Amino acid sequence: MHDGVLDFRGFGHFDDSRPADAALDAMVTDASVHRVEAHTDLLFTRRHTFGRSHVELDFGGHRVSTEGIEKNSHDNPFGAVLYFRGEVTGTVVTSRLSAPMPDLADVFEVPDSAAFAVGQWWAVEIDAVSGAGIYEKEVQKLVQVTQLVDGTHIRVNYKIGWDLAAGRTFTWTKVNPVQRAHVRDMVFQGVADGDTFTGSHPVAYEYAVSCDVSGIDATGTFWPVVMRRWCTHFHTYGCRLKNPASVTYGGAGYLTQQIYCLYGHVEDCHVANSRHLNDWTASAYGYVTNCHGDGDDQGPFVTHGQFEHDLVYTGNSGLMTFANSGAAWGSAAKRITVRKHVCSWFVARVKVTDLTLEDMHVIGNAQAGSGMLWVNADGVQIRGCTASGPLVVSQTSSRSRRPNVIADSDFTQSTAYAVTAANVTSALHLTRVRLAGLDGAAFSGTGRLVLEDCELIGSADAAAGPVAHGDVTVRGGTLTDTGFTLSSEKDQRLRIGAGTRVTGTNASGAFLSRTGGDRTVTWQLDGVTAEAADAATAHLLLTSGPNRYAASGCSFRGGRLELTQGAFGAESHLLHSGCVEDGTARTAMPAEGDRIRHTAGNLLL
């Protein structure tokens, strides 16, 4: 007779001198036991699978070792010492969408809702996107039925994160999940130099609901310390991993990985010299807080790129990359928010939609490529962030409806990366952004580019940056020892508004210039102040056309204006009026005529 609480001492285990596997099985498989306690160090040499619920295993902060543990099967991250797995039944329902299913829908079409009951749990999975990667599946989750809406629709406890076209097919498999099976307070020692067969790790869950893990301090594990797949509602907190057996073998060296998971919270965790602290794979509505990684060049914080959505990270530290595992899985993620984060490298360069970064600081180290912040121009919004290396904006998707905005941030560019890649076709707004270290750093995109109150800084021996965007607007701000060379193969428009200040010089010898080609460039300068550091520096250097040029209310000091006759042919026009030219040489100006005016109304000092 007992009160439901047992400990290993009752089975004669007062230390780790002999395996305690039989005692573990006896206690956990006894349905009358709801709590198992350890009050001494323990040794386990078997990999246990349990299917029961409503049990808590508390190891009291004692050491668990696994020397001599039985071999695992090949590539099996669920071969943990403690593996809790729900029952997958033979009940399967297939449903085909007769109409599109929109983002954030929670009502699913089914052939007959009578096959379902409120409270049941089902593993639901959609077919792969036609003609795409074999793993490109937007929905793979363990969900609970909450309502039978009508004869052909059910509501579940999950809002999808992607628009789904008519004709897509869901497969529903009824599951009896493990529920409320918790593991607490263990110091776990993995097998030294373990591999996929000989390595050990403490905990795994599959088809589980409301199963929490806390207080595991692991060393030398192979597979993830806490492995989860098809799990919903869970909390992993206060766990640590240092020096795992491998950080290069696929799937090894993690603190926790979640696959097809919902509503998880990972909190107050730490890794050292590990691969990933947290990996969301095909998961949604997860939260990561106050987690930190050092020796973090492998990247503590990742998503797989298998249609993860609605994830939040707050107050963490460590290298972070999103959706980088490969095209076969879709390379997609959506609505990820990162706040108050510090790291040596941040990359979200593939199909990451509606990414929000706030108060992130990227500080490079000796690792090649560190210091950068690389994002996808698909609804990205960055506020209050810094990087010791470059800002890199590319675009591989266009799902978002919100603007791409980078504001109140500071970056240091390099010659290795363009600020915007050639595949950026969406509009991009930079507001109160400082870009230092400019030396030929290109804006190679083609979408609209807006720079508002920005500070662009080069050096006297650095080149002006090529700009390929078709429509460029500069409102206020400063350009110091740099400039723009409009370089598209198509027509371009550059508007620079009042309050913009351009000063210094650069290795290109001009603040504003263009490349040749049979294309029209439109220049609109209004209230610009430009001060050249020497007589050789051109405020404008236009030697090819056509050009449509209008400058009014501008102030030029020193330097020169070189607008050649050849740059203003029959399709061009030039109006230069209301400007002050203080010590500025006109080294070339086209002859005045019906389409050319530059003499009257200017003040030349």
Side-chain angles (χ1 to χ4, degrees):
M1 187 71 180
H2 58 77
D3 62 359
V5 179
L6 296 180
D7 77 65
F8 287 87
R9 293 174 300 182
F11 291 80
H13 292 280
F14 296 94
D15 56 33
D16 58 357
S17 60
R18 60 189 179 92
D21 299 278
L24 175 66
D25 285 342
M27 290 185 283
V28 176
T29 57
D30 183 343
S32 66
V33 174
H34 65 83
R35 180 174 170 84
V36 174
E37 295 180 352
H39 295 271
T40 66
D41 294 349
L42 295 170
L43 169 66
F44 295 113
T45 58
R46 287 167 33 208
R47 303 174 191 271
H48 303 261
T49 300
F50 301 117
R52 68 158 297 184
S53 300
H54 306 290
V55 64
E56 183 170 47
L57 282 68
D58 189 337
F59 291 85
H62 294 283
R63 183 176 183 268
V64 170
S65 57
T66 53
E67 292 89 351
I69 193 169
E70 64 182 332
K71 282 191 174 182
N72 197 0
S73 56
H74 180 60
D75 278 350
N76 177 27
F78 295 94
V81 172
L82 305 171
Y83 173 32
F84 290 89
R85 187 179 192 272
E87 177 194 7
V88 180
T89 74
T91 303
V92 177
V93 175
T94 300
S95 60
R96 187 175 184 272
L97 290 177
S98 63
M101 188 172 180
D103 187 2
L104 294 184
D106 58 8
V107 174
F108 287 71
E109 182 179 0
V110 294
D112 182 2
S113 64
F116 300 81
V118 172
Q120 290 179 340
W121 289 91
W122 295 74
V124 59
E125 181 173 7
I126 199 168
D127 58 344
V129 177
S130 178
I134 61 174
Y135 305 113
E136 287 199 42
K137 300 178 180 182
E138 300 94 327
V139 179
Q140 293 170 289
K141 304 291 185 295
L142 178 63
V143 299
Q144 186 177 41
V145 178
T146 60
Q147 181 184 4
L148 305 184
V149 177
D150 57 32
T152 57
H153 293 86
I154 61 173
R155 176 173 277 115
V156 303
N157 64 337
Y158 166 57
K159 292 181 181 294
I160 67 171
W162 307 87
D163 293 320
L164 304 175
R168 301 291 298 278
T169 299
F170 287 106
T171 299
W172 299 79
T173 303
K174 188 173 180 295
V175 172
N176 297 318
V178 166
Q179 300 191 54
R180 300 185 185 280
H182 310 307
V183 179
R184 316 281 191 200
D185 295 330
M186 174 196 301
V187 176
F188 186 89
Q189 179 61 56
V191 174
D193 301 319
D195 58 26
T196 182
F197 295 107
T198 63
S200 60
H201 60 296
V203 186
Y205 293 96
E206 194 171 25
Y207 304 106
V209 173
S210 300
C211 293
D212 299 339
V213 176
S214 63
I216 294 184
D217 185 352
T219 303
T221 49
F222 187 80
W223 295 115
V225 174
V226 183
M227 181 72 202
R228 300 182 188 269
R229 184 166 65 187
W230 297 105
C231 292
T232 299
H233 299 303
F234 57 88
H235 193 186
T236 302
Y237 60 98
C239 294
R240 297 190 291 274
L241 169 63
K242 56 183 176 293
N243 301 323
S246 175
V247 295
T248 57
Y249 192 92
Y254 298 16
L255 176 64
T256 183
Q257 181 173 33
Q258 294 90 196
I259 302 175
Y260 317 150
C261 288
L262 276 175
Y263 310 129
H265 188 180
V266 179
E267 182 179 23
D268 298 340
C269 293
H270 182 270
V271 296
N273 309 316
S274 303
R275 188 168 185 178
H276 303 323
L277 187 154
N278 185 87
D279 182 348
W280 298 112
T281 297
S283 297
Y285 302 111
Y287 194 23
V288 182
T289 57
N290 193 37
C291 290
H292 306 279
D294 52 67
D296 64 332
D297 289 346
Q298 296 291 330
F301 303 97
V302 300
T303 71
H304 198 74
Q306 197 169 352
F307 296 97
E308 299 84 23
H309 67 90
D310 296 286
L311 306 174
V312 178
Y313 300 77
T314 301
N316 306 296
S317 66
L319 192 152
M320 181 175 276
T321 66
F322 293 149
N324 281 333
S325 292
W329 291 271
S331 299
K334 187 176 187 181
R335 293 192 295 262
I336 300 178
T337 298
V338 184
R339 299 189 182 99
K340 297 184 181 302
H341 191 91
V342 294
C343 59
S344 61
W345 201 340
F346 178 87
V347 177
R349 63 182 179 84
V350 288
K351 301 174 186 177
V352 180
T353 299
D354 290 341
L355 173 69
T356 301
L357 306 180
E358 297 176 355
D359 195 13
M360 171 181 281
H361 302 280
V362 183
I363 302 171
N365 55 27
Q367 186 181 22
S370 69
M372 73 160 52
L373 192 154
W374 190 343
V375 295
N376 180 40
D378 186 11
V380 65
Q381 298 202 351
I382 300 173
R383 300 180 185 89
C385 298
T386 66
S388 64
L391 167 69
V392 181
V393 182
S394 58
Q395 184 172 1
T396 57
S397 59
S398 55
R399 293 185 171 106
S400 180
R401 296 175 57 189
R402 74 178 189 175
N404 300 298
V405 179
I406 303 173
D408 304 314
S409 298
D410 184 290
F411 308 95
T412 301
Q413 302 306 122
S414 72
T415 57
Y417 297 95
V419 182
T420 61
N423 59 1
V424 176
T425 58
S426 296
L428 175 65
H429 298 252
L430 274 65
T431 302
R432 297 180 300 277
V433 171
R434 182 178 183 267
L435 297 177
L438 295 170
D439 185 0
F443 288 87
S444 300
T446 57
R448 185 178 178 225
L449 176 65
V450 178
L451 305 175
E452 184 170 8
D453 291 326
C454 292
E455 186 178 358
L456 278 59
I457 303 171
S459 67
D461 57 356
V467 177
H469 292 263
D471 190 317
V472 181
T473 300
V474 181
R475 301 191 188 105
T478 61
L479 283 73
T480 304
D481 293 329
T482 189
F484 298 139
T485 300
L486 301 191
S487 58
S488 175
E489 295 181 356
K490 298 180 179 180
D491 292 352
Q492 287 183 274
R493 180 189 301 270
L494 172 64
R495 289 174 285 228
I496 305 182
T500 306
R501 185 178 179 87
V502 186
T503 62
T505 187
N506 56 63
S508 302
F511 295 143
L512 301 176
S513 62
R514 59 164 289 175
T515 59
D518 186 18
R519 61 193 183 89
T520 299
V521 176
T522 300
W523 308 82
Q524 295 176 270
L525 311 182
D526 181 12
V528 176
T529 297
E531 299 181 9
D534 55 48
T537 300
H539 300 286
L540 288 110
L541 176 61
L542 303 182
T543 59
S544 61
N547 293 285
R548 296 174 179 174
Y549 170 96
S552 63
C554 296
S555 177
F556 302 97
R557 184 172 183 179
R560 61 195 179 98
L561 293 170
E562 184 159 340
L563 313 178
T564 68
Q565 188 70 49
F568 291 88
E571 298 180 8
S572 300
H573 64 243
L574 183 153
L575 178 62
H576 184 90
S577 67
C579 297
V580 176
E581 301 171 35
D582 184 357
T584 302
R586 292 189 171 192
T587 54
M589 296 295 277
E592 288 199 316
D594 292 342
R595 300 175 65 88
I596 306 292
R597 293 285 189 271
H598 54 74
T599 300
N602 296 298
L603 179 62
L604 278 61
L605 302 175

